[in-house]
Amino acid sequence: MSLASSRRAQGREFLAGCRDELPILLGVAPFGMIYGLLALDAGLPAFAAQAMSSVLFAGSAQLVATRLIREGAPAVVLVVTVLVVNLRHALYSASVAPRIKHLGMGWKALLSYLLTDEAYAVVASRYARDGDRADVSPHRHWYFLGAGLTLWAAWQCSTAAGVFLGAAVPRRWGLDFTLALTFIALVFPALEDLATTAAAIAAGILAVLAVGLPYKLGLVLAAVVGIGVGLVVEARRT
């Protein structure tokens, strides 16, 4: 394949990733605005609130962090909670690692930064469609890049809208409900077998039962128990 043809193929993959990520942005935009509003409400300066979206780039972890900051939680609780909430990214990375093992460290570092829930959902669906065929495109990492950058740009813009324009958004709109809708839309397609379904049910029930625990520790407990239940069910099946 000539250099020009390779560049065109890369561009097509990149644009396809951008296109496939666009429908998810309908839920991401209000999600980012909610984070911006909550960050200011927690006492974070506008610059720090926006910087968290660029550095951490993890919506659920950012929301948990801002609530813990507002409640005056100790730093160790804040760090451990964010770490546990983001443990699922280790599973994401293990899932996509075989697909990008041929890439250099620069590409791997960039894609690992962009590997979030919504980007993974799109990229994993693409890999599932392609399967293990030998004729798949060698430029699928550009698809990954397109999906990830589209999500990143939308998250930064929506965060900025919440931070800098949030005061103009009527509280009666109840935008916080879209947070739950976004994650429900991501979870249901992933319930492909008994193990994942059992993990989701166990985590959901425990999160509701433990909602009164201080410092949002119920979320941490629910995540750990959900992972444990999923592993036990999978082990028994095999």
Side-chain angles (χ1 to χ4, degrees), residues 50 101 109 203:
Q50 186 67 43
K101 62 182 179 181

Side-chain angles (χ1 to χ4, degrees), residues 12 29 40 64 73 89-90 104-105 115 154 158 162 173 203:
R12 287 194 297 270
L40 295 183
V64 171
H89 291 85
M105 287 302 298
L115 186 59
S158 59
W173 283 11

